[in-house]
Amino acid sequence: MNSIPQKIKIKDIAEKAGVSAGTVDRVLHNRGNVSDETRRKIQSILDEINYRPNHYASALASKKVFVFCAVIPNCEPGGYWELIEKGLLRAEQELYDFKVVVKVHYFDQYSPTSFAEAMDVVLKQDSAPDGVLLAPLYKPKTLVYAKKMEDLEIPYVFIDSCMEEGNPLAFYGQDSFRSGYLGAKLLFSQRSDVTKIAIFSFFDPGQTPSNQIALRMEGFKSYVEKNNRSCKVLRGTLSANNPEENEAMMKKLFEENPDIKGAAIFSSRAYVVAEFLQKYKLSNVTMIGYDLLEKNVMYLKNNIISYLIAQRPEEQAYKGIKAFSDNFIFKKEVQQINYMPIDILTQENIEFYLEF
Amino acid sequence: MNSIPQKIKIKDIAEKAGVSAGTVDRVLHNRGNVSDETRRKIQSILDEINYRPNHYASALASKKVFVFCAVIPNCEPGGYWELIEKGLLRAEQELYDFKVVVKVHYFDQYSPTSFAEAMDVVLKQDSAPDGVLLAPLYKPKTLVYAKKMEDLEIPYVFIDSCMEEGNPLAFYGQDSFRSGYLGAKLLFSQRSDVTKIAIFSFFDPGQTPSNQIALRMEGFKSYVEKNNRSCKVLRGTLSANNPEENEAMMKKLFEENPDIKGAAIFSSRAYVVAEFLQKYKLSNVTMIGYDLLEKNVMYLKNNIISYLIAQRPEEQAYKGIKAFSDNFIFKKEVQQINYMPIDILTQENIEFYLEF
DNA sequence: ACTGCGACTGTGTGCGCACACAAATATACA
DNA sequence: TGTATATTTGTGTGCGCACACAGTCGCAGT
């Protein structure tokens, strides 16, 4: 009654083929040293009986230690990349008994050079990692290292945003264009009288916008083009480390344009703008933002931000590492392109997203 | 460099305590037959060195087969409960090597008696299941069996909706009240001129509404009360198996009330109403619905339904079974109340939710 | 015919643990 | 003091697999 479908093991196959377990093991792992004849015989049995190895027993017996490196921007407390790191750690924990180690390497998210340095360290270790997880913030540099890893035959996983030119083992992230598009839709669906909006970005001097943010902005504009062509879109440029300047800039912008009805910002730091809106009591401005940072959530709850669009960063990182283990340990097919859901968060449903 | 933190095993503990592995095993599993003195010694070592057993090795060595039963309504193809079943199967697959079997038992979702019969079968097997997963559609009957299972010391998991009176090992589902509340918010946020809406339900004669649907409706009404008190709410009652009658009813309703601007339905069969709206080209009616059924998705894409609110049924079922394995096999603490995210789906983000 | 060598195949051990069983020790009672 | 019995402890085997190692075999070269 409570019996389990009898599991087929290596020994069974060996018996069926009239060989020893060792030989079956050799064909299973392509270790060579098997005559064509016996290999074919074993293979045909394998094909017909649907052998499914016990990966837990396998991991137990194996001595192999897997080292996966993650290369991500420095994690400010409460910032976006901290969520990514959380996912990495969760995956490492879960794979502990499979002898999986996740090493995190950090770089300065505003410096492509710093990214390159981190990658150099990762790839020039005495023993190469079994896989590298990274966020392709800056296309050109990333491309260089993608090439390098392909030459070294080190599989890599992209999170956050993708690059068509690369050929990762897997990608986990949002369709950034679409999430920008959705942002615009939500902004305009809120009210029918939106004729002027402001969008903000952190373009520091001499820096190219990150891949993802550029795409979100395109998506946003595309929606406006298509559905609210008459709406005026103003741009505000924020500085990463000069709050006073930012405040002055916004003050000027909103004073000169009191008819601004909507605001959007495509990085995760919506709270910078929200803080301003709250301080100056501009409750007539509808705002949308991105990512589930604590401070963003606070302004959502305070009704300063109407909608937050989220992308499950922790899950991206978690699944990124799991892609490696699925590939190496569980021998599962790994789907290459994996768009994460574009979650729409409001005051009413936010609380149910906080622990995920 | 690539070394893993040295794993502590039973043998290590045994050595430290000056006993054999068997004795350590006895205290780890409370198997008794250990003198107070040695148990205390071992326990103190255990406390101080943070021993984490290898559950994979443990499962490998163990002969125990786990049988978990799921009691759910019949799965119509393309219906809600099919998604649940998918999650159950996924969990079973994943736990295959842990000797976990998931047996699904079905009942007629419109008949509490049929539910009771299914539960009787489950509980009166020659060997009792190690856990039961069920959806408490009908409170009173569920309560009876919850009691029974507590007496039999069989842990149970609720999915879909919860019952405060029960004491399940875990619950995975939506906050139904809140999802109804959010539905109303979305309906009204779409346009400012909504003064009359219609809500539909499948109250067949002689039947009590399921727990979840009743709560959603309450939540919906609560929002209207609070924010749009002047809006008139009409009720339409649908029949589960009489399309002609339904059509006639809706026709009459919308003809007599041409000023209906919004429609909502709290079961997963929004497509019944959507089909009508499409057929009669009532494009002026904004509609919201629940759950990611194929047919609902189609009407969302066609712009008949503006928002769908989803609750990840597959994940509910999957996590429900995993709660058992976490409890029995991985000895993890299982959180009792787990509200699933209330996903808001629109044309723009729907495609990213379809494979989850 | 002997050796050496390469291609192929079988055997044995251990991964960390559960559990049946054997062994040792303690306790009771005559 | 001896025997029977309960209590406590140690040992051995196997779960399914990986992998090191030890064979076996055929064949070329001397």
Side-chain angles (χ1 to χ4, degrees), chain A residues 19-20 22-23 26 33-35 38 60-61:
Chain A
V19 296
S20 76
T23 304
R26 273 172 210 110
N33 289 327
V34 180
S35 72
T38 39
L60 193 63

Side-chain angles (χ1 to χ4, degrees), chain A residues 208-219:
Chain A
T208 43
S210 84
N211 203 2
Q212 180 178 61
I213 289 178
L215 283 169
R216 276 187 191 157
M217 198 173 295
E218 276 180 44

Side-chain angles (χ1 to χ4, degrees), chain A residues 92-277:
Chain A
E92 187 185 32
Q93 285 280 333
E94 197 174 307
L95 297 171
Y96 177 81
D97 283 326
F98 295 100
K99 305 181 189 67
V100 166
V101 179
V102 177
K103 290 188 185 168
V104 186
H105 295 251
Y106 304 93
F107 65 93
D108 174 4
Q109 75 172 294
Y110 297 111
S111 156
T113 316
S114 151
F115 167 72
E117 284 164 14
M119 285 302 292
D120 283 335
V121 170
V122 165
L123 297 180
K124 285 189 181 135
Q125 295 173 105
D126 43 342
S127 66
D130 297 284
V132 178
L133 178 144
L134 69 165
L137 284 199
Y138 304 102
K139 251 192 177 178
K141 276 273 180 254
T142 307
L143 216 60
V144 172
Y145 285 95
K147 197 98 206 145
K148 256 186 203 168
M149 290 188 283
E150 278 163 33
D151 291 344
L152 293 167
E153 297 195 340
I154 299 174
Y156 55 93
V157 165
F158 285 147
I159 57 167
D160 205 53
S161 79
C162 201
M163 264 184 7
E164 312 78 46
E165 296 92 341
N167 184 29
L169 170 67
F171 155 68
Y172 296 90
Q174 220 167 47
D175 181 329
S176 306
F177 182 92
R178 190 67 73 89
S179 76
Y181 190 90
L182 177 60
K185 168 181 168 140
L186 291 174
L187 190 57
F188 288 105
S189 84
Q190 272 300 85
R191 37 202 291 185
S192 45
D193 62 341
V194 182
T195 54
K196 195 184 267 185
I197 60 177
I199 62 180
F200 298 91
S201 43
F202 278 90
F203 288 4
D204 290 77
Q207 280 165 22
T208 43
S210 84
N211 203 2
Q212 180 178 61
I213 289 178
L215 283 169
R216 276 187 191 157
M217 198 173 295
E218 276 180 44
F220 188 91
K221 283 182 185 160
S222 156
Y223 183 92
V224 178
E225 271 300 287
K226 211 187 283 180
N227 301 283
N228 294 65
R229 193 182 281 267
S230 63
C231 179
K232 263 209 169 152
V233 179
L234 306 179
R235 295 277 302 260
T237 300
L238 297 162
S239 144
N241 38 30
N242 196 332
E244 295 82 16
E245 193 183 297
N246 289 341
E247 184 171 337
M249 181 276 288
M250 290 190 271
K251 201 167 170 224
K252 183 152 173 280
L253 187 72
F254 281 98
E255 271 172 4
E256 288 174 358
N257 300 279
D259 52 340
I260 291 178
K261 299 280 174 51
I265 173 166
F266 303 103
S267 81
S268 65
R269 281 170 294 169
Y271 58 83
V272 173
V273 176
E275 189 188 358
F276 172 86
L277 293 178

Side-chain angles (χ1 to χ4, degrees), chain B residues 148-162:
Chain B
K148 257 185 203 169
M149 290 187 284
E150 278 164 34
D151 290 344
L152 293 167
E153 295 195 345
I154 299 175
Y156 55 94
V157 165
F158 284 148
I159 57 167
D160 204 53
S161 79
C162 202

Side-chain angles (χ1 to χ4, degrees), chain B residues 89-160:
Chain B
L89 286 180
R90 184 157 65 93
E92 187 185 34
Q93 284 280 330
E94 196 174 307
L95 298 170
Y96 177 81
D97 283 326
F98 295 100
K99 306 182 189 66
V100 167
V101 178
V102 177
K103 290 189 185 168
V104 186
H105 295 251
Y106 303 95
F107 65 94
D108 174 2
Q109 77 172 293
Y110 297 111
S111 156
T113 317
S114 152
F115 167 73
E117 283 164 13
M119 285 302 292
D120 283 337
V121 170
V122 165
L123 297 182
K124 286 192 180 132
Q125 295 171 108
D126 43 342
S127 66
D130 297 285
V132 177
L133 177 145
L134 69 165
L137 284 199
Y138 303 102
K139 251 191 175 178
K141 276 272 182 254
T142 307
L143 216 60
V144 172
Y145 284 95
K147 198 97 206 142
K148 257 185 203 169
M149 290 187 284
E150 278 164 34
D151 290 344
L152 293 167
E153 295 195 345
I154 299 175
Y156 55 94
V157 165
F158 284 148
I159 57 167
D160 204 53

